Amino acid sequence: MSKSPITLPKRRIYPIDALPNAKQIAAAKEDLAADHAALHKIQELENAARAELEERGKRVQARIDVLHVHRDAIQANRDLALGFIAPIRRLPIEIFHEIFLVANVIDDSGRIPWIVSAVCRSWRRLALSNHRLWARLTLRCTVNCPPDVVRLWIERSGSTVPLFINIRLFQNKEKSTRVPNHASRVFRFSSEDANTVHATKQWGFVAIYYLSEQKHRWRSFAFECPDDHIEALEYLTGPFPLLEDFWVSCGDSNVRLSTWQWFASKQDGNDTPALKRVSLQYVHFSWASSMFKNLTGIRIVSPSSVVYPQPATVDSIFNILKNNPELRSLSLSVPNLQASVLPNPEVIHLPQLTYMSLEGSSQFIFLLQYLKIDAIEKLYVKLESPQSSDFAEAFRELLSRSNYPPISILRIYQPFWLPESNLGYLESLPELEELAVGRIPMEEILRELNNTTSSGTLVCPKLTRLTLQSCPGRRDMESVMPKLIGMVNKRTNSTTPGLQKKLKNLKLYHCGCTVTAEQQSWLSKKLKEFKVDEPTSFPHVHPFVL
């Protein structure tokens, strides 16, 4: 330890038992002057020491920086050596291709091809050489995204690989979180392009032009866009030899009248020999189109204010069902369905139909009277106009005609609240696990669910989920709540005769219920889920997905 250049001063002692005299004050002032001078000298020495320390620190840091440069170089060489002998380098190219393809299927956002092609040069070569990786054209974007993205995607998919197209176009004001980031880097587009061709209605026409050049390779086609872009589909003409799934949706339900000549309006020919599933939402088509043949899935959502080349009638729907005996999924939403003109048809047998959704006109009740659906599992009926006949009677006859199929999910919503309703058909649904009803008196529902069948078993013994919407009591809910509590207690007690599955979920929407804290606590303990809420719409699930 080096010797300090300054000796430590001795501690001064001043008399404090009396006031200082003039001589003592003068001596104290001299001491103060000497202290100030000593402090100034010490500060100068401290500054010099700090400067020396800083200089030494710079020299040491410079030596450390040189060591870091050598360390980084050595680590880079080590990483190269590890990469050179890494087991992944011994994987065949075909394995890489399969890994990329599996990742592209798991992540359906369309980002995987762009991501893997930006990792390194070798992965980029692998990605660009794998045409199947680019065969799934998935795009979620606004009109600011240049349609040349579609062209580049198609070019990288080669010329022979079947294409799976899924495009959803948003308006500028809508958010899009699935635009491929790497694609945006390629084309350098931004929100400032709103006044270019990409933000006009030409986007749809340009994209459809690129896609239609490869229509012979389409395996599936899904296209959703605003109204001013849907018109580009008018120029789609066949043939589409490989097309199996066709899904088109217009974001605006107020579709304008048009005399489209695209393949969905043609009543002759065979442009889609391999087509299996069709979904049309708010677009122009012909009910007698030749595309409605030998399908396994049909979903049609019709705008209420539009009349197609010919109006929708029950006869046209009968004709579609006759031409598609292998249907497995059927979903029809037609508000202005006109009555049948032709004589009563023969019963139409759809032995493979497992899902059916009928929404809109009460003419669908007439349709039920001529159907036979042995394998139906999920049934949804929502009528928005006064009933012309008894739905309950038609539904009972349908069950009897279909040999009491194994329906597991039943959702029925009536157009108006009815003071009386016949729910006797529930006795014929022993496999029912989910029941959702709307605008039916709650007393009727609870009485039926507490009944036993003619054979002595509990009605719907496998019921686990129950949803009631707009189902008030005839007089007041105070008299209904004890019955509801009793039904829940009966269906959650394992000792109840005939009970096969316990009730787990109960939801009450717009039923005018006043549930006390004690009742809420008891129901929450008995059930896995109990809700008294205000939903936005009647529960509805479309399993028809491309």
Side-chain angles (χ1 to χ4, degrees), residues 8-287:
L8 188 67
K10 295 181 179 181
R11 181 178 178 85
R12 296 193 186 101
I13 300 176
Y14 294 99
I16 59 174
D17 55 348
L19 293 175
N21 53 34
K23 185 178 180 180
Q24 291 174 332
I25 292 175
K29 288 182 177 181
E30 291 178 359
D31 293 340
L32 285 174
D35 292 340
H36 286 309
L39 289 174
H40 179 70
K41 184 178 181 181
I42 291 175
Q43 186 64 47
E44 290 180 346
L45 294 175
E46 180 182 351
N47 293 338
R50 288 183 180 277
E52 181 182 357
L53 177 63
E54 183 178 356
E55 182 63 26
R56 290 183 178 181
K58 289 180 179 180
R59 291 196 299 268
V60 172
Q61 186 61 47
R63 292 199 300 270
I64 293 175
D65 293 340
V66 172
L67 295 176
H68 284 179
V69 171
H70 286 76
R71 181 199 61 186
D72 294 341
I74 295 173
Q75 288 181 346
N77 289 333
R78 183 196 61 181
D79 293 342
L80 290 174
L82 291 175
F84 181 73
I85 63 174
I88 195 173
R89 291 180 57 86
R90 297 194 293 271
L91 285 179
I93 295 178
E94 293 78 9
I95 299 298
F96 276 105
H97 287 173
E98 292 301 322
I99 293 174
F100 294 164
L101 292 175
V102 171
N104 198 27
V105 172
I106 296 176
D107 185 350
D108 62 349
S109 65
R111 298 173 297 178
I112 295 300
W114 303 94
I115 292 175
V116 299
S117 61
V119 173
C120 60
R121 284 178 295 181
S122 60
W123 278 33
R124 180 175 179 80
R125 287 195 299 267
L126 291 173
L128 295 181
S129 64
N130 188 353
H131 296 319
R132 288 192 300 162
L133 182 63
W134 301 91
R136 293 186 176 273
L137 199 164
T138 303
L139 192 59
R140 306 285 190 272
C141 65
T142 66
V143 291
N144 292 337
C145 174
D148 285 334
V149 173
V150 177
R151 174 188 57 78
L152 180 60
W153 218 313
I154 293 176
E155 289 177 355
R156 293 183 175 182
S157 67
S159 58
T160 59
V161 178
L163 294 176
F164 299 83
I165 302 167
N166 193 334
I167 297 178
R168 186 177 183 184
L169 185 65
F170 300 91
Q171 293 284 15
N172 287 330
K173 61 182 179 180
E174 299 182 56
K175 293 183 178 180
S176 173
T177 59
R178 284 187 150 183
V179 180
N181 293 329
H182 299 287
S184 64
R185 296 171 189 168
V186 172
F187 292 96
R188 303 295 181 187
F189 63 87
S190 66
S191 59
E192 298 177 357
D193 299 330
N195 295 325
T196 66
V197 64
H198 311 315
T200 68
K201 65 186 299 182
Q202 297 183 24
W203 197 103
F205 288 91
V206 175
I208 292 299
Y209 171 77
Y210 290 138
L211 293 171
S212 61
E213 289 185 330
Q214 304 294 325
K215 61 185 179 182
H216 60 282
R217 295 201 287 142
W218 290 8
R219 180 62 57 83
S220 72
F221 180 88
F223 190 80
E224 180 178 356
C225 64
D227 186 27
D228 53 353
H229 296 270
I230 202 72
E231 296 179 0
L233 297 176
E234 180 180 357
Y235 300 96
L236 279 184
T237 57
F240 307 92
L242 301 181
L243 187 62
E244 296 181 359
D245 300 293
F246 187 74
W247 191 96
V248 173
S249 174
C250 178
D252 187 358
S253 60
N254 297 318
V255 181
R256 298 181 295 274
L257 291 174
S258 176
T259 56
W260 281 15
Q261 299 300 320
W262 69 320
F263 75 99
S265 299
K266 294 175 59 177
Q267 301 183 17
D268 55 358
N270 189 16
D271 291 334
T272 54
L275 192 62
K276 293 299 181 183
R277 288 166 289 276
V278 171
S279 177
L280 302 174
Q281 181 169 336
Y282 304 129
V283 293
H284 305 282
F285 68 96
S286 171
W287 290 94

Side-chain angles (χ1 to χ4, degrees), residues 363-435:
Q363 293 295 331
F364 282 127
I365 297 178
F366 181 77
L367 177 66
L368 294 178
Q369 297 174 355
Y370 295 92
L371 286 182
K372 182 180 180 181
I373 44 180
D374 309 88
I376 192 71
E377 297 177 359
K378 302 176 183 178
L379 179 61
Y380 172 83
V381 178
K382 182 179 180 181
L383 305 178
E384 298 178 351
S385 58
Q387 301 183 24
S388 59
S389 60
D390 185 8
F391 168 79
E393 183 65 26
F395 188 54
R396 277 197 300 268
E397 293 178 358
L398 172 67
L399 295 176
S400 176
R401 190 184 316 114
S402 304
N403 300 320
Y404 301 101
I407 298 179
S408 60
I409 298 178
L410 176 63
R411 298 176 180 176
I412 299 177
Y413 192 77
Q414 298 185 146
F416 301 107
W417 183 81
L418 300 177
E420 300 289 342
S421 182
N422 188 352
L423 300 176
Y425 52 79
L426 293 178
E427 296 183 1
S428 305
L429 303 175
E431 302 298 323
L432 190 65
E433 296 184 6
E434 179 179 341
L435 174 64

